[in-house]
Amino acid sequence: MVYLVNITPLGAYMFGTDQKSIYPGEKLTGKESYYIKSNEVPEQTTILGLLRFLILKQKGILRSGFQYTREERARMAKYIGAGSFSFDTKKKQDFGCIQEISPVFLMDTIGNYYIKNPFNNKGETQYTPMELNGQEIETSFGKIRLPENEEYNAKEGIASGYYNLGNGQVYKKIFSSSVLPGNRKNNKTSDDDCFFKREMIRMKAGFSFAVFVNLTEEVLPKKDIGYMGLGKSAFMITSKIVAGNDLARRVEDTFAGYKGLWIYALSDLYIQGKFIYDKFCIVEKKQIRNLETRYDEKNHLRKLKRSEKQFNMIQKGSVFFKQCGLDIANENCQKIGYNKVVQLGKEV
């Protein structure tokens, strides 16, 4: 069965990035800073963690101290899987009742879907894909085509905001941010206290995060409070059973009438191997470290720790002319909502 899950912030929140402050007990990465930035949208791994939390709570298994007997852990594995998601594993991962999660998108109160504005959109309010020069140019990547004159303005950068699939309009003021100062004890420095600033995000009223979740059982609550992000911000969670996941179809139907074929990253893409592309693309890259579950010697105390390894990703909204050109065939990533691409427009 497929659920539509809406996640509405109940206040300001902060989703961690690879730029962070120093945390006790963790190996330094070189990305530590007194200024802690926040993502606007939760990672797919964060959504997976939230769903697992809600399922355990709904089934009465959740323990506030994260101390579980072997029998309880076996029951947990039935509903949410035995281990955390990992980019690094080659084995097929199992998350219990959770069969598949869609990429995160936005919704408003009347049911419109919002996706990341495609990076090739040169229109301020509507989708107007940039045109490429018909002549190929020899580069170190091979022969590629570049945008026509005045199709791209480097000073203005790439397209931003979110695209409403309902009315075809671009919205750029759904999120706002503020910066809060703080001070805390830090054992990693010679100073007694550590001054820092953190960015807090607010979502405009009337909007929510949304995902489709394919489950084997009715294990999600219809309404509950969940916690995500640094500081465990509160979110209102509502879920309902729907006919199916129509996100990708709606995207492709919306852009089907436009000339020029582009492949659009509906989610972030995990780069496997080298990033090699010899056509034309507009991408933003980022790095991520996923949380890992650790158990103590008694095998029942759960601890969460960031992975030391950094994983390279291409951000959602990125576009590739005519073909993606990347190896994104990763079943584990696709199961939790990464590595999803769709087609925008058509061949001319």
Side-chain angles (χ1 to χ4, degrees):
M1 64 196 66
V2 178
Y3 279 82
L4 172 62
V5 180
N6 290 91
I7 306 165
T8 307
L10 296 179
Y13 59 84
M14 182 179 184
F15 293 127
T17 69
D18 203 44
Q19 181 177 327
K20 58 186 180 63
S21 62
I22 297 174
Y23 288 87
E26 288 194 356
K27 184 178 179 180
L28 297 181
T29 66
K31 292 283 187 176
E32 290 73 25
S33 171
Y34 79 95
Y35 182 70
I36 311 170
K37 292 183 66 64
S38 173
N39 285 326
E40 293 177 342
V41 177
E43 290 286 345
Q44 296 296 140
T45 50
T46 303
I47 295 296
L48 174 63
L50 174 67
L51 293 172
R52 298 176 85 191
F53 167 86
L54 292 171
I55 291 171
L56 291 183
K57 184 179 178 182
Q58 182 77 352
K59 289 296 181 180
I61 309 175
L62 190 66
R63 301 287 180 264
S64 59
F66 297 112
Q67 295 188 1
Y68 300 97
T69 64
R70 291 186 181 275
E71 291 75 17
E72 287 173 326
R73 285 187 56 199
R75 190 177 172 208
M76 289 167 59
K78 173 186 174 183
Y79 290 113
I80 66 168
S84 302
F85 171 81
S86 173
F87 287 103
D88 231 3
T89 185
K90 302 297 183 182
K91 297 180 181 178
K92 180 180 178 180
Q93 292 194 277
D94 174 67
F95 302 112
C97 294
I98 303 172
Q99 299 297 293
E100 187 175 18
I101 306 171
S102 78
V104 179
F105 59 104
L106 309 184
M107 284 187 69
D108 59 24
T109 53
I110 61 174
N112 287 317
Y113 295 7
Y114 296 73
I115 62 169
K116 192 74 174 175
N117 192 11
F119 291 167
N120 65 325
N121 183 12
K122 63 179 184 179
E124 282 294 316
T125 59
Q126 295 181 323
Y127 180 66
T128 308
M130 67 173 57
E131 296 182 13
L132 300 185
N133 193 302
Q135 182 179 359
E136 292 184 333
I137 298 176
E138 188 70 44
T139 72
S140 58
F141 289 97
K143 292 183 178 181
I144 65 173
R145 291 170 60 181
L146 298 178
E148 288 278 12
N149 289 336
E150 300 183 1
E151 287 291 290
Y152 173 71
N153 187 329
K155 292 183 178 179
E156 295 178 358
I158 59 177
S160 61
Y162 288 82
Y163 186 89
N164 183 339
L165 298 181
N167 63 15
Q169 297 290 310
V170 175
Y171 292 77
K172 296 186 178 182
K173 296 183 179 180
I174 297 177
F175 298 100
S176 60
S177 67
S178 58
V179 177
L180 299 179
N183 211 347
R184 70 178 168 206
K185 193 79 173 179
N186 189 347
N187 296 326
K188 286 287 185 179
T189 69
S190 58
D191 301 324
D192 289 337
D193 296 297
C194 177
F195 173 78
F196 65 91
K197 291 183 178 181
R198 55 179 177 170
E199 181 183 29
M200 302 295 294
I201 306 295
R202 286 188 180 273
M203 177 181 268
K204 188 176 180 180
F207 287 87
S208 65
F209 303 114
V211 290
F212 289 101
V213 187
N214 192 341
L215 300 170
T216 59
E217 299 182 32
E218 294 185 34
V219 289
L220 283 181
K222 291 182 179 179
K223 191 174 183 179
D224 205 343
I225 302 293
Y227 303 89
M228 294 191 298
L230 300 178
K232 299 297 181 183
S233 299
F235 295 79
M236 176 63 69
I237 317 296
T238 60
S239 63
K240 63 179 181 180
I241 297 176
V242 295
N245 173 5
D246 63 349
L247 176 61
R249 178 187 61 78
R250 283 205 190 187
V251 175
E252 293 196 336
D253 287 351
T254 298
F255 294 93
Y258 291 93
K259 294 181 179 180
L261 176 62
W262 296 81
I263 304 302
Y264 169 81
L266 189 58
S267 70
D268 291 341
L269 309 178
Y270 172 44
I271 303 175
Q272 300 170 106
K274 294 182 179 180
F275 174 36
I276 300 176
Y277 184 75
D278 61 357
K279 298 293 183 183
F280 178 82
C281 61
I282 307 174
V283 303
E284 280 196 347
K285 293 188 285 185
K286 71 176 186 181
Q287 289 76 41
I288 184 175
R289 301 174 194 273
N290 62 280
L291 290 177
E292 300 172 341
T293 302
R294 306 289 178 87
Y295 290 93
D296 66 4
E297 294 178 355
K298 295 182 180 179
N299 211 32
H300 64 236
L301 178 61
R302 190 179 81 168
K303 296 180 180 179
L304 292 178
K305 186 177 181 181
R306 287 183 180 87
S307 62
E308 293 183 1
K309 186 174 180 180
Q310 185 182 69
F311 300 95
N312 295 316
M313 308 283 286
I314 287 179
Q315 294 192 43
K316 63 172 64 178
S318 297
V319 290
F320 305 82
F321 182 63
K322 291 192 175 182
Q323 64 184 41
C324 179
L326 296 176
D327 178 13
I328 58 173
N330 185 306
E331 186 176 357
N332 292 332
C333 285
Q334 291 171 339
K335 181 180 290 188
I336 71 163
Y338 287 122
N339 290 22
K340 304 282 188 177
V341 297
V342 293
Q343 179 176 304
L344 305 184
K346 59 187 177 181
E347 286 276 14
V348 293

